[in-house]
Amino acid sequence: MLKLMKYELRKTMFSKLVLLCITGVAEIAYLVGVFLKTDKGDQILAFGAIGLMMCMMIGIFYIGIDSLISFHRDLNTKQSYMLFLTPKNSYQVLGAKILENGLSIFLAGVFFAVLIAVDASIGILYIGGVKEFLDLLNQLMISIQININLTPQQILMPFFAVLAGWLMTVVSGDLAIVLSATVFAGKKFSGLVSFLIFLLIDYIASKVLNAVPVVRDLMVQYVMIIGACFIMVIVMYFVTGWIMERKLSV
C-alpha cells in the first residue's frame, strides 16, 4: 500500500511544488509589507495576504481536482496500465489513491492553517495589537472592493470539516469516473450520464450532512460533520472498489 501511495504522490508532485512556489511568493510579499510600514508596504501586504488566502482555497481545491484528473487518465489511457497488472486488487489501488489524496488535502490544510497563524502573529506583533491588525486587513480589503468583516472567531474557526467535505466530493468524483469507464463505457453520452450521477451522489451526500443534528457545542458539531463525511467516503470507497473489481477491464 505504501508503494502505491508513493506512486500516487509522484504523479501529483509537480502541481504541489508549483503551489508551494506560488505560496512562497505570496508569503514573501506579506512579510515585506509587514516590515516595510509604508503606504507602499500596505499595498504589498494586501497583495501577500490575499495571495495566501487564494493559495489556500484554490490550492486545496486543485489538489482534489488533480487526483481526479490522474484517476481518469489511469482508467482511460495507458498511463498506468502496469499499475493494474501488479499483484494488487482494485480496493488497494483505489485505497492508495484516496489515502494519498486525503493526506495531501489534510496536510495542505494544516500547512496553511499554521502559516496563517504564524503570519497573523507576526502582523499583530509588528503592527500593534489584534484590533489594529484586523482593522488594517479590513481596510485593505475594502480598498480593493473585497468587503469582508474579519473577526478573530472567523480567522480561528476550524475548517477541517470543509476539508473532509471536499475529500468526500473527490471520492464521489472517483465513483463517477469508474462508472463512466465501466458501466457506461462505449455508450452514448456516458460522460454526461456519469456527471449527472456525480451530481446526484453529491446531492445525496449533502442531504446526509444536513441531517446531522445541530448541537450548541461548535466543536462537537464539527466532529459530527467530519464523521458523517468519512462514513460517506468509506461507503463510496467500497462501492467504487466493488465496481472496479467486477467491471473494470484494462
Side-chain angles (χ1 to χ4, degrees), residues 36-56:
L36 201 55
K37 294 184 179 180
T38 64
D39 291 339
K40 185 66 175 178
D42 290 345
Q43 295 176 3
I44 297 174
L45 186 150
F47 171 80
I50 294 170
L52 288 171
M53 292 179 187
M54 295 298 291
C55 284
M56 179 182 67

Side-chain angles (χ1 to χ4, degrees), residues 59-250:
I60 293 174
F61 173 79
Y62 185 73
I63 287 174
I65 295 297
D66 196 29
S67 176
L68 290 175
I69 293 172
S70 174
F71 191 43
H72 182 270
R73 289 174 179 168
D74 288 345
L75 297 184
N76 295 278
T77 69
K78 295 183 179 180
Q79 170 180 294
S80 299
Y81 180 75
M82 295 301 295
L83 175 63
F84 292 96
L85 295 181
T86 59
K88 304 292 182 181
N89 59 44
S90 296
Y91 291 103
Q92 291 173 306
V93 172
L94 178 64
K97 180 175 289 292
I98 293 175
L99 284 174
E100 186 280 326
N101 190 238
L103 284 173
S104 294
I105 290 173
F106 174 76
L107 292 176
V110 171
F111 170 76
F112 281 110
V114 171
L115 183 62
I116 290 175
V118 170
D119 285 344
S121 300
I122 293 173
I124 291 169
L125 180 63
Y126 282 89
I127 294 174
V130 176
K131 184 177 184 303
E132 290 79 2
F133 176 70
L134 295 177
D135 287 344
L136 175 60
L137 286 184
N138 283 324
Q139 291 172 6
L140 291 171
M141 290 187 174
I142 291 172
S143 69
I144 58 173
Q145 299 181 343
I146 299 180
N147 189 12
I148 299 177
N149 186 23
L150 293 175
T151 64
Q153 290 80 8
Q154 289 172 327
I155 292 176
L156 298 176
M157 183 178 294
F159 62 97
F160 292 109
V162 176
L163 300 183
W166 176 230
L167 176 62
M168 180 183 68
T169 300
V170 172
V171 176
S172 66
D174 289 333
L175 175 55
I177 289 172
V178 168
L179 288 172
S180 178
T182 55
V183 178
F184 302 109
K187 298 180 180 179
K188 290 184 178 180
F189 308 111
S190 62
L192 176 60
V193 173
S194 299
F195 179 69
L196 292 176
I197 291 175
F198 163 73
L199 294 180
L200 177 61
I201 295 170
D202 201 51
Y203 174 77
I204 294 173
S206 67
K207 287 295 184 181
V208 171
L209 293 183
N210 289 335
V212 174
V214 177
V215 296
R216 292 185 177 181
D217 192 316
L218 184 60
M219 295 306 297
V220 173
Q221 186 74 50
Y222 271 113
V223 170
M224 294 171 64
I225 292 173
I226 291 172
C229 288
F230 278 114
I231 290 174
M232 292 294 295
V233 166
I234 293 171
V235 170
M236 287 188 288
Y237 159 71
F238 280 109
V239 171
T240 307
W242 182 85
I243 296 172
M244 290 175 66
E245 277 288 287
R246 285 157 179 75
K247 300 290 185 179
L248 186 62
S249 176
V250 295

Side-chain angles (χ1 to χ4, degrees), residues 4-21:
L4 289 174
M5 291 179 65
K6 289 179 181 178
Y7 174 74
E8 293 297 331
L9 179 61
R10 285 198 299 269
K11 287 195 296 184
T12 58
M13 181 60 72
F14 178 76
S15 60
K16 293 181 176 66
L17 291 176
V18 171
L19 172 62
L20 187 62
C21 290

